[in-house]
């Protein structure tokens, strides 16, 4: 394989290029290793795009391996959702689906090997004693009184741990490394603990479970992973990762490389906090469209290509940083602007009666489905005497720069006609309930009239008799502050009370009835909207995916 390093490559791809050029490896094997204890979020997408992306670029393979060493927190529900999310992002592990639990026998065998080599021992100190004797960054740890017990004794106890003779927490198996090591992870880390709990895959076969650190590198080695890519918090674990590989008869030598996590402003991204939002009912579930979970943004209508583009844009480095949520939204708009079909919908309707349009007449107007893609074709939109327009598009007493409809002025109805407002009808309370307008029959389709008259605004509309209704869910940021989980108090103090507004009176062009749940379209002039999974033929529901512009940036500009 010929791979030419380019300066624009990230440091991990540079390392891979080097390893292939020197012949250290003749291909890449990477893996994405989620714990099945929650739903995937945007941070995971960064890791997925990196690991699966490398496989695609280098013609290698990427494994999906569930790191399922914690039976009490895991569930098949999570396994299934994780698979679905990775596929949705556009990646495929082929037949390389693995579970760390597949290696429990091998890991047990290797633990016995370490004991026999004098490199592991059963420790009967209490958890509190172990904590004290571990020391801290300033103080070296002290050896456990069990540290130098004979290997046979540890072996006997370890076998009895496995046989279920002892209760949870009674003893653990530890590696014998160095209790004075400056890296705390090297101070005789625990390899096995007793947990009498059913595992979602191995059932009740085991009552001892290997620790994550002991499992991870060996799983990589068993799968012949070449580059084990993980986030920076594992940097301090690398010495231990390597220690296991050096001291066990493993079939290959993977290399751990760390990169910085994705952090996004205005949200939280730890599974623990996301779970809290769900269990406390602060969102409707893991797939609430305000959640930064993959299933949440999918329901929100974000296209997978936007997530992949965003991950490419932010790149891979070792620097801790926070990415701007607005950048992600821009990536979403960029893809949707290309992909989304255009429709007309009026979210806050006001009735317009066209007094000179014949009663009972209906014209089918031809509307363009995508302004930049003629191949997307056209559709028919009915025009009649009574229409709805957006309340915002009319002002009775407009300021100088307001070019939309006001008494005496003329606007173009998109794919319709020019109309002029002649009269404003109000109810007893002074609220505007109807606009009486006239139309110019020579402007059919929105064409300029022969007299050269021009209008400054084009607005959207729907025919009142033909409109369909829908519930519209307007989403905004879930948190009001940039870094909700830093600073004082709980992250929950920073929830945005206006993150969801539900509109019930919207009037939609009838063609929108055919949009399937999960499909995202553009409501002209308003933004991108996705038919929700709750949407049915009888009761349509649309989620606002994103506005056409960054509303927050606009708010800032206006001070
Ligand atoms: P969390 O901290 O949100 O609970 P986690 O790291 O415990 O997540 P895992 O299931 O262990 O979740 O993660 C699987 C993989 O995804 C790991 O390799 C992890 O490093 C990576 N990952 C998790 N969060 C991020 C993130 N914010 N940015 C990049 N990669 C991430
Ligand atoms: Mg983790």
């Amino acid at each position: 394989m010929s791979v030419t390093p380019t300066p624009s490559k990230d440091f991990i791809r540079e390392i891979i290029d080097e390893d292939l050029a020197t012949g250290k490896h003749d291909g890449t094997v990477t893996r994405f290793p989620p714990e099945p204890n929650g739903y995937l979020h945007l941070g995971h997408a960064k890791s997925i795009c990196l690991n699966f992306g490398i496989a695609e670029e280098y013609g290698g393979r990427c494994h999906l391996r569930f790191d399922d060493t914690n039976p009490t927190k895991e569930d098949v529900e999570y396994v299934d959702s994780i698979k679905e999310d990775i596929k949705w992002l556009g990646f495929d592990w082929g037949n390389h689906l693995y579970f760390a639990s597949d290696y429990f026998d091998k890991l047990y065998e290797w633990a016995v090997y370490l004991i026999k080599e004098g490199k592991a021992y059963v420790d009967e100190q209490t958890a509190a004693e172990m904590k004290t004797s571990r020391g801290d960054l300033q103080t070296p740890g002290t050896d456990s009184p069990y540290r130098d017990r004979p290997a046979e004794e540890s072996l006997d106890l370890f076998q009895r741990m496995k046989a279920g003779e002892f209760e949870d927490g009674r003893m653990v198996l530890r590696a014998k490394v160095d209790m004075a090591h400056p890296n705390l992870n090297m101070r005789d880390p625990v390899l096995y603990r007793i947990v009498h709990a059913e595992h979602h895959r191995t059932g009740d076969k085991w009552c001892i479970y290997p620790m994550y650190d002991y499992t991870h590198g060996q799983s990589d080695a068993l799968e012949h992973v070449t580059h084990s890519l993980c986030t920076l918090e594992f940097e301090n674990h690398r010495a231990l990762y390597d220690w296991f590989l050096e001291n066990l008869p493993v079939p290959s030598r993977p290399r751990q490389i760390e990169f910085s996590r994705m952090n996004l402003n205005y949200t939280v991204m730890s599974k623990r906090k996301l779970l809290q939002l769900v269990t406390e009912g602060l969102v409707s579930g893991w797939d609430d469209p305000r959640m930064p979970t993959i299933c949440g943004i999918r329901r929100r209508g974000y296209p997978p290509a936007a997530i992949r583009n965003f991950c490419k844009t932010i790149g891979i480095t070792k620097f801790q940083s926070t990415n701007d949520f607005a950048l992600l939204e821009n990536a979403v708009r960029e893809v949707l602007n290309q992909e989304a079909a255009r429709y007309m919908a009026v979210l806050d309707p006001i009735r317009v009666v066209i007094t000179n349009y014949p009663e009972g007449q209906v014209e089918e107007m031809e509307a363009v489905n995508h302004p930049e893609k003629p191949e997307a074709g056209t559709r028919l939109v009915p025009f009649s005497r009574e229409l709805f327009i957006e309340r915002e598009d009319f002002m009775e007493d407009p300021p100088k720069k307001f070019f939309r409809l006001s008494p005496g002025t003329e606007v173009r109805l998109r794919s319709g006609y020019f109309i002029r407002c002649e009269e404003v009808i109000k109810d007893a309370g002074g609220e505007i309930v109807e606009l009486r307008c006239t139309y110019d029959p020579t402007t059919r389709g929105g064409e300029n009239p022969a007299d050269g008259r021009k209008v400054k605004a084009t607005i959207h509309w729907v025919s009142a008799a033909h409109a369909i209704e829908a519930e519209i869910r307007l989403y905004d940021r879930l948190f009001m502050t940039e870094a909700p989980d830093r600073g004082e108090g709980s992250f929950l103090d920073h929830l945005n009370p206006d993150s969801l507004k539900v509109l019930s009176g919207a009037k939609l062009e009838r063609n929108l009835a055919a949009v399937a749940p999960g499909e995202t379209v553009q409501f002209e002039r308003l933004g991108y909207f996705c038919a929700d999974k709750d949407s049915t033929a009888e009761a349509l529901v649309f989620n606002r995916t994103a506005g056409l512009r960054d509303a927050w940036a606009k708010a800032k500009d206006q001070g």
Side-chain angles (χ1 to χ4, degrees), residues 31-37 40-48 51 67 82 212 216 229-234 259-263 269-272 274:
R31 84 288 166 270
F32 175 65
E35 289 175 67
N37 62 355
L40 295 184
H41 51 58
L42 285 162
H44 293 117
K46 175 172 180 176
S47 175
I48 292 169
N51 283 291
D67 251 317
I82 288 170
Y212 176 86
H216 195 86
L229 313 176
C230 62
T231 35
L232 281 177
E233 69 272 23
F234 291 101
F259 62 96
S260 62
R261 299 174 77 84
M262 176 197 290
N263 297 303
M269 208 114 77
S270 112
K271 272 182 278 189
R272 192 178 52 76
L274 297 175

Side-chain angles (χ1 to χ4, degrees), residues 263-266 310 322-329 477 482:
N263 297 303
L264 277 180
N265 58 7
Y266 296 102
F310 175 63
T322 299
N323 302 111
D324 199 347
F325 208 96
L327 199 64
L328 171 62
E329 288 191 312
R477 290 172 178 166
E482 278 213 46

